[in-house]
Structures are given as structure tokens and as C-alpha cells.
Amino acid sequence: MFKKVLIANRGEIAVRLIRACRELEIPTVAIYSEADRNSLHVRCADEAYCVGPPPSAQSYLVIDKILEVAEKTGTDAIHPGYGFLAENPEFAKLCKDHNITFVGPSAEAIEMMGHKTVARKTMQNVGVPVVPGTETVDDDDVLASRAKEMSFPVMIKAVAGGGGKGMRIVREEKEIKEAIRAARSEAKSSFGDDTVYVEKYLEEPRHIEFQILADRHGNVIHLLERECSIQRRHQKVIEEAPSMALDDDLREKMGKAAVDAAKAARYWSAGTVEFLVDREKNYYFLEMNTRLQVEHPVTEMITGIDIAKEMFKIAAGEKLSISQEDVKMNGWAMECRIYAEDPFNNFLPSPGKILTLREPSGPGVRDDSGVFAGYEVPLHYDPMISKLCTWGGTRTESIQRMKRALGEYVIKGIKTTIPFHQRVMNNEKFLAGNIHTGFIEDECIMETSDDSEDLMNVALVAAALHLQRKSREGVGTAGPEKTGTDAWKMMGRRSRWVT
Ligand code: MV4
């Protein structure tokens, strides 16, 4: 096993990984920015080093600085968590060059899955269904005519994309040219690559993903599915496992497809294969996330497998100790992501000092938190402060426990999304399991404010966040995982708010 592990991340996921290391009896090194000097992950780690000023581009994303800390502390492995450098193939390669184990997949697997059409082709070659679509086409006129042949609606996607950027839905022929131009331009500025292709657009799909574990000896298993259809502006907000949409037959088929996908990529480590599932229960490969995901706890709760610990064991060269037959589905788990945002004011970020904190506990409750009473939530990063998860023998019990736990949760000093979750937990369609990726927009869970002063605040924070993001999302570095507020998107997408 490793002598010492550096956690190249912050917040709740850094704390989660330090806990895994403590159980494995591996000493840990934390890194932090000047804004995170007093944060929980710094307190939990055995050692901690400052790597720069608050902006991520000057701290959590500075590879040289992180490797320098690793070398001076005698670290032999680095876990990147999610976001930041987790899906940066260059970082994975540089770790290897420095004789430090990257606790994740190979640089080659990250790179391949980061390119949408290359990933699609790899899946097609092994018989995993993908959404009908084109290859990359450089000429706008040729791409437009391919789209017409496919029939509308279609979706234009950036090959370097992910999480909704560089994507455009096109419903009519007359919109196609402009949409291609817009998608290319957004892709160019976000990813430094304006290559796009076209897919058939699926209406109201479910987003179902399979957790996989693979060792460095070619063994691959899946740990069942998670239902991630409850999203707001491409950020997941509630996840559950298993999914109401799958029966045993479909679960087995999709699980096998996920394992085939990982094998085709010569994948090792923990990873997630995402699918879209349509109303007719057809499933299509969407993308593969080559990292530990935010929502991994719900899978841990229904399988009893500690995914974070497994990642370290796999990285150290151990063979998987579990076979597919050992993976048993037990009960039902839910996750509510708690953000420091004001749900009554367009989910405006609500940084500030936490004055009072009482975290829920009791039967079936797990709260993976990155905060404590007296902590000041900084404005520089993703505002997710904790992940409240509940387990129950049935979906109903899991929801009852979630309602109970949300009611127990006391956070004073900042606004949080707890009231939003309480509404979803009482929504009839949610309770019936009748959900899809447009659920939140369709159900109007929160009334939005029309007060002009509120709107001005939204616009100001949006502008500040936009500048901050622009400065940190350097070309070629994977951006933070999509857990943060996308307030800046309101400027473009909800014209009503900026009129
Ligand atoms: C789609 C789609 C419908 N049809 N592709 C959004 C994020 C990116 N990873 C892929 N996304 C989508 N791709 C086709 N051909 C609908 C979405 C989508 C979505 C997917 C997963 C979760 C939430 C979503 C919300 C809106 C759109």
C-alpha cells in the first residue's frame, strides 16, 4: 500500500478521501488555497500545504505546485477527487513521470473518453448502443444537411464537451446554421476546440448511470445503477439508487454494456458509464466519467462497497476482491446535494459564515459534509457544502428518512437548498418515480422572484461568477465538476431575468 497520499482537492470530497485513507492507515497530505486555510479538509489531514491564492487557476489547478508538495512530503500517490484535475490526462501523465501513482485511470483512458466521437466509435465497435448521430464534420453546410437527413429535433454537441457546454438543441431546419455557429463558438472558447457533431435529440430522457470498478489486471465489474434525472441546469441535485425505470432484465443488459464499455477503454479504477433511457426503455451510451463521482455514496449504501477505498487498492495494484456475483442490491438510497444557495432567489450563491450547524443523524442517515459551525463558506468555489444521503429498505422508507433528516438539519448564517429538497420530497410525480431530465423545469418547484432588486443582485453575482470562471477554466484543463451554481447562465438563457 502507499506510504503517503496527497489529496489534490478541497471540501467534502477531500474529507471523504482522507477518511478512506485513515481506514487504510495511510497518512494524508492536504493542499489548500489561501481562502481555505481554515477549512475542514485541512483540519482532517495529517499535513497541509498552501498552494496559492484563492482562484483555482492559481492554486488547485497548478500542477507544478502540487507535484512540488508531493515530492517534498514523500508522497507516493495523488487522489484528484472530482473536478479540478481529476479528468486532466496531462496531470495523470505527469504524476506517472514523477513516479507518483495517480489514483484514477490511465491518461489514455481519460483522453479517449474526453473525446465524444472517439468514445462513441469505441462503444459502437463493441456493440454498445449509442444515440444515432454523425461523425465530426468540419463543413457547416455538410453538417447541416446531415442533420436534416436525421430529422428534427437534433442536438449539436462539441466533441470536447460535457455537462451541457457547447450543446444546442435544434427543432427546425431554419435554426440549424445559426446553432452550428453558436455551438462552435462556445466550444472554441470553452475547450479550445470547435469540432462539433450532431445527434438525434431524445425528448425527456432519463439519465441513468452505472458505477464500474476495474482493476489493473483486466477484471471489470459494475455496482448497479444510479438514477440522476433530477438536475438543474446540467447540475445534478438529487440522485438515487437503484432506478425505478429498470427491471432486472434491463438492469442486466445495461450493466453488461457498462462493463463492455470499460473493457473497450482498457479502463481501470472507479468510473461511471452514463446512459440516456427513452420512454420506450431504449438505452444509449452518452459518455463515460473517468473519475470518482459526487454521488458515489448512494451506490456504497445499496451495495455495502466502499468505492473510495477500492480506488486506492486498485491504484496500488491489488486485484478486485469482489466478483460480479458478490454485488447484491440491498434497499434504496437517496442523495440530496445541499448548496449554499438561496432557493427562493433564483439559487443565488449564499457565501458567508455558518453560525449554527446541527447535522442530521440516526438510522439510515449519512451526511458527507465539508463544513463546520464557525466556518465561512468562500465565494471562490463550488457552493456545495454537503451531501445528505439516506438509506431505507424501500424507496418509501428512504424518502421518509430523507424528509426526517432534512427537517433535523439546522444551518444558520447562510441560505441553503434544504427547502427546495423538502418540496421535491413532497412532489407527487417524484414520489411516483415519474421523473426525467426536465423534471425541475416542468414542475416549477420554486417560485422565482420578480422583485427588481433581487434581479439586480442576480445579475451582479452572475457577472462576478462569470469573470471568476473565465479566469480559472484554462484551455486543456478539465473544469470543475458541474456541482457549482450556474448563475451566469441565467444571463443568456433566461432573458426574462435580465430584461
Ligand atoms: C442529450 C439529450 C438528449 N438527446 N443528447 C446534457 C449533458 C450532456 N452530458 C448530455 N446532455 C444531454 N444530451 C441527446 N442526443 C439530453 C441531454 C440532457 C441531459 C442529460 C442528462 C442529464 C440532464 C440533462 C438535461 C438536459 C439535457
Side-chain angles (χ1 to χ4, degrees), residues 140-377:
D140 286 10
D141 295 325
V142 177
L143 188 60
S145 66
R146 291 280 162 76
K148 276 177 233 163
E149 288 161 20
M150 227 157 20
S151 87
F152 293 96
V154 299
M155 199 168 208
I156 302 162
K157 293 188 177 185
V159 295
K165 264 198 190 158
M167 280 182 5
R168 284 287 182 289
I169 302 169
V170 183
R171 296 195 175 274
E172 289 176 64
E173 184 176 337
K174 66 180 195 312
E175 301 166 355
I176 185 84
K177 286 283 176 59
E178 178 48 33
I180 292 171
R181 266 193 294 276
R184 277 201 204 284
S185 145
E186 194 175 307
K188 183 81 190 168
S189 65
S190 300
F191 314 114
D193 180 353
D194 72 356
T195 317
V196 298
Y197 68 105
V198 175
E199 278 180 12
K200 180 81 194 135
Y201 179 66
L202 307 179
E203 306 269 7
E204 301 192 345
R206 282 178 180 254
H207 179 175
I208 293 172
E209 56 186 34
F210 274 73
Q211 175 70 53
I212 70 111
L213 278 182
D215 66 22
R216 299 178 78 149
H217 310 277
N219 304 302
V220 185
I221 61 171
H222 72 81
L223 305 185
L224 307 164
E225 81 279 8
R226 293 184 288 259
E227 163 82 61
C228 304
S229 299
I230 310 272
Q231 312 216 357
R232 227 190 122 257
R233 302 209 172 93
H234 299 297
Q235 294 170 58
K236 296 168 185 168
V237 290
I238 297 171
E239 301 96 338
E240 61 184 286
S243 166
M244 298 261 283
L246 304 193
D247 56 31
D248 287 343
D249 184 48
L250 186 53
R251 180 170 292 119
E252 194 180 320
K253 271 197 271 184
M254 289 177 72
K256 189 179 172 303
V259 168
D260 289 345
K263 283 185 174 161
R266 299 171 164 282
Y267 196 86
W268 69 69
S269 190
T272 300
V273 182
E274 294 188 358
F275 296 96
L276 291 181
V277 179
D278 68 18
R279 271 169 287 206
E280 286 76 45
K281 303 279 166 101
N282 298 306
Y283 62 92
Y284 306 94
F285 170 86
L286 190 59
E287 51 192 70
M288 182 167 185
N289 298 314
T290 57
R291 59 167 187 271
L292 177 66
Q293 282 189 269
V294 173
E295 61 272 28
H296 75 275
V298 294
T299 299
E300 295 185 329
M301 290 174 106
I302 64 154
T303 62
I305 295 166
D306 187 320
I307 298 168
K309 276 201 307 209
E310 291 301 323
M311 274 185 96
F312 286 107
K313 292 195 231 170
I314 289 164
E318 289 184 24
K319 285 190 174 163
L320 287 181
S321 58
I322 327 137
S323 67
Q324 192 64 62
E325 295 73 55
D326 299 331
V327 178
K328 296 263 167 22
M329 186 162 94
N330 179 28
W332 210 285
M334 297 258 157
E335 170 178 278
C336 288
R337 298 189 186 189
I338 314 293
Y339 289 89
E341 291 176 348
D342 182 357
F344 297 104
N345 193 3
N346 298 312
F347 295 85
L348 191 69
S350 178
K353 192 167 189 145
I354 296 176
L355 302 173
T356 306
L357 182 67
R358 196 186 78 205
E359 286 162 349
S361 59
V365 175
R366 167 174 171 179
D367 186 45
D368 281 31
S369 169
V371 303
F372 52 89
Y375 173 75
E376 188 157 342
V377 180

